[in-house]
Amino acid sequence: QVQLVESGGGLVQPGGSLRLSCAASGSISINAMGWYRQVPGKQRELVAIIAADGSTNYADSVKGRFTISRDNAKNTVYLQMNSLKPEDTADYYCNKYPPKYDWWGQGTQVTVSS
């Protein structure tokens, strides 16, 4: 079982940037990985996917603003978030794509507010 630890969240003003990290306890190089987010009271939604070959896909709401990347040597997945909007406020999680129930970590909170 792989454990995932997300970090890098915080409070940022609209238009600002954050870089989230997801560190895995084991190798994730063969897995497609995703970043997900959840607002309390709402369903968790998929934000971005990176395949094992490095190809990426994004939700329409973040396309052109967010960039997902991975460093297999470090067993880490990143989410660079630029031009942040208040509607990006959520708890952010990483997991396999499709997600594996027992891989969910504690998430990292992102708040976009002036």
Side-chain angles (χ1 to χ4, degrees), residues 3 8 11 13 24 34 36 46-47 50 54 72-73 87 100 107 111:
Q3 293 183 325
L11 173 64
Q13 291 187 341
Y36 306 78
L46 177 64
V47 173
I50 186 164
N72 289 332
E87 51 263 44
K100 190 170 170 56
T111 303

Side-chain angles (χ1 to χ4, degrees), residues 50-95:
I50 186 164
D53 66 0
S55 58
T56 59
N57 208 346
Y58 298 91
D60 287 343
S61 59
V62 306
K63 203 170 291 184
R65 301 187 297 121
F66 290 12
T67 303
I68 188 171
S69 61
R70 65 193 303 162
D71 185 336
N72 289 332
K74 296 182 179 180
N75 295 325
T76 301
V77 180
Y78 304 97
L79 186 67
Q80 178 66 44
M81 306 188 297
N82 299 328
S83 302
L84 282 161
K85 303 176 181 180
E87 51 263 44
D88 295 317
T89 295
D91 294 322
Y92 284 73
Y93 303 84
C94 68
N95 202 322

Side-chain angles (χ1 to χ4, degrees), residues 102-113:
D102 57 357
W103 279 34
W104 290 114
Q106 83 290 347
T108 187
Q109 188 174 55
V110 172
T111 303
V112 185
S113 175

Side-chain angles (χ1 to χ4, degrees), residues 11-33:
L11 173 64
V12 63
Q13 291 187 341
S17 298
L18 283 174
R19 188 195 196 203
L20 306 184
S21 298
C22 169
S25 61
S27 177
I28 54 172
S29 61
I30 65 170
N31 299 117
M33 297 294 295

